[in-house]
Amino acid sequence: MTELARLSDRERRRIITDFVEDALDGVHAPAYRGGLLAAVPDLPDDPTPEQTDAWTALIALVRGPELRAALRRLAEYSARTGPAAAGETAPAAREQAARQQAAVRVAELMRERGEAAVAAGLAPDSPAAEPVVAELVAAWIPTQAGTADPPAADGPGARGRLLEQLETAAEPAVERYWQLLCTVTGRPAPPRWGTAGAWTTAALRAHLRPYELDRSAFDGTAPDRVTRAYEQVIRDVSALVAAVRPEDLDLPTPCAGWTVRQLLDHMVWENLMAASIAEGTPRDDLAADHLGADHRAAFEDSARTALAAFTGSGMLHRTFGPYEAPGAMLVQQVVVELLAHGWDLARATGAPTGLAPGLAEETLAAARRIYGAAPRTEGGSFAPERPVPPGASATDRLAAFLGRDPA
């Protein structure tokens, strides 16, 4: 047992209490401060090695600057938006407890919906994400009744405020703090928010204004046709990938900030992610290296894996997510993405951009149907549509529709 673990309960509480008071010094956020102080941990008389290690890690965390700054940012947000900011009297303990319970229920709903959307392959800036956002905002609004200038209805103001709240709360150091506290005290750790939080904040950025979902975007994708479309796009894009030399991997691409290597890695991940959705085990490793040392083999293997999953899992005849998006439409989205990214790769390497000439017009029509209502906002995947020169190919026009410059 370490010297830190040998401290008395009083000494351990004093370390955390002094840290909280110092981090929040001068910030009037009594409810937030009270919640932190109420959670000061007591190490058991006979702690497990895991609890001892967690206590040691907790002390290292509170002695560093990252957690201190993160807690202060959250306290300043609480002071700015809480009852005191509105000149209200602090709520009674029972009312405060009821508000906290309501907030916990809404947070759990957001986690469930966000994880379900990721599992269903629902892009946060697709039109199908709008009803999810509307449901979450409607559930969240009543929890703001005791805050400064609470929103009365769904709209840009309410969505902007929820987005600010989620972005403010996205503090990895604070999440680590609570995880360690739970380990030290033997309480169940809170569910991790990362996957659902990233999806929900991205969806809010893309859908800052409510609009009615047109379910016709879900229609019109024939399973057999989309399978053939995927096979044709893969053939053309695979030829481009095979021509990429090692020295080309560092070239810039039309995808801002991405090199050829990063673009290829993303294309491989799209195949693998779609396959994992078909198999009911959605991946969460977007940031991992999916390319390895052989970009050609990685792409070909991912395409074979995806096609086998599409045709062998029944995905093309099933629906996914809370709003029952057809599996065939999800595969159609992959076709659109791969053809557009194939265009990016061709532009980056100087290859011809007229990919899949017998299919590009049909894919452009599908992209307009699926993404036509998607907002072109800062949080979206696509920039505003660009003009095209006379005589542009269908693939060039697809790239322009999705925000690339074909000139």
Side-chain angles (χ1 to χ4, degrees):
M1 186 181 293
T2 67
E3 290 298 322
L4 287 171
R6 293 193 185 100
L7 297 174
S8 69
D9 287 345
R10 181 176 180 180
E11 289 170 321
R12 282 192 289 269
R13 291 192 195 101
R14 175 54 58 188
I15 289 174
I16 302 298
T17 299
D18 288 350
F19 162 72
V20 170
E21 295 291 1
D22 182 59
L24 274 56
D25 183 44
V27 181
H28 184 68
Y32 185 71
R33 177 184 274 102
L36 289 172
L37 295 176
V40 172
D42 287 329
L43 194 65
D45 293 335
D46 187 20
T48 65
E50 183 184 21
Q51 288 174 309
T52 301
D53 291 344
W55 172 251
T56 303
L58 180 64
I59 294 305
L61 187 63
V62 302
R63 287 178 173 170
E66 184 181 1
L67 177 62
R68 185 182 305 270
L71 289 179
R72 189 171 186 87
R73 285 192 292 269
L74 290 173
E76 289 171 344
Y77 178 81
S78 178
R80 199 167 63 247
T81 60
E88 299 177 2
T89 303
R94 181 177 297 180
E95 182 182 353
Q96 180 66 23
R99 289 180 181 179
Q100 290 174 348
Q101 290 171 2
V104 168
R105 288 194 296 270
V106 171
E108 179 62 17
L109 178 66
M110 289 184 180
R111 187 181 68 80
E112 290 175 357
R113 292 293 186 266
E115 290 181 353
V118 172
L122 184 60
D125 59 351
S126 78
E130 163 58 24
V132 182
V133 173
E135 178 189 10
L136 296 180
V137 173
W140 168 81
I141 285 175
T143 69
Q144 303 303 293
T147 64
D149 190 23
D154 191 358
R159 295 189 179 201
R161 182 158 165 175
L162 176 55
L163 176 59
E164 179 190 16
Q165 192 176 102
L166 294 179
E167 289 177 331
T168 301
E171 295 281 4
V174 175
E175 181 177 6
R176 174 69 171 157
Y177 176 76
W178 289 111
Q179 294 282 341
L180 290 171
L181 278 177
C182 289
T183 301
V184 167
T185 58
R187 294 195 298 267
R192 294 192 178 274
W193 172 245
T195 298
W199 187 92
T200 306
T201 52
L204 279 163
R205 290 190 201 105
H207 301 273
L208 280 175
R209 293 182 179 276
Y211 63 93
E212 191 70 26
L213 173 66
D214 179 5
R215 289 192 65 89
S216 66
F218 288 4
D219 301 328
T221 305
D224 291 342
R225 181 64 188 171
V226 78
T227 302
R228 291 194 295 273
Y230 180 82
E231 291 173 329
Q232 183 175 341
V233 167
I234 285 296
R235 280 197 298 271
D236 281 22
V237 175
S238 291
L240 281 177
V241 174
V244 172
R245 303 165 301 176
E247 57 266 32
D248 296 332
L249 294 175
D250 291 328
L251 292 173
T253 72
C255 291
W258 278 4
T259 63
V260 167
R261 180 182 176 82
Q262 290 168 314
L263 176 67
L264 290 174
D265 186 272
H266 179 74
M267 293 164 71
V268 168
W269 181 83
E270 284 189 322
N271 278 327
L272 296 177
M273 182 63 185
S276 70
I277 291 169
E279 294 163 351
T281 55
R283 306 172 69 102
D284 60 359
D285 60 345
L286 175 60
D289 176 15
H290 306 95
L291 214 56
D294 189 339
H295 61 274
R296 301 178 184 89
F299 184 80
E300 290 171 4
D301 289 347
S302 72
R304 280 194 296 269
T305 298
L307 185 59
F310 297 160
T311 57
S313 68
M315 178 186 190
L316 295 165
H317 303 280
R318 289 154 48 205
T319 60
F320 295 80
Y323 293 92
E324 299 184 342
M329 188 194 77
L330 299 181
V331 178
Q332 180 69 75
Q333 288 178 289
V334 178
V335 172
V336 172
E337 288 284 313
L338 289 178
L339 186 54
H341 286 318
W343 185 94
D344 294 330
L345 181 59
R347 287 296 292 262
T349 58
T353 58
L355 306 171
L359 182 74
E361 198 75 57
E362 179 181 322
T363 304
L364 172 58
R368 291 189 181 279
R369 185 179 72 251
I370 296 171
Y371 297 115
R376 304 298 179 101
T377 64
E378 184 179 348
S381 297
F382 313 124
E385 184 173 1
R386 304 293 293 269
V388 293
S393 70
T395 314
D396 288 338
R397 286 183 280 123
L398 172 67
F401 173 69
L402 298 177
R404 279 80 160 172
D405 185 1

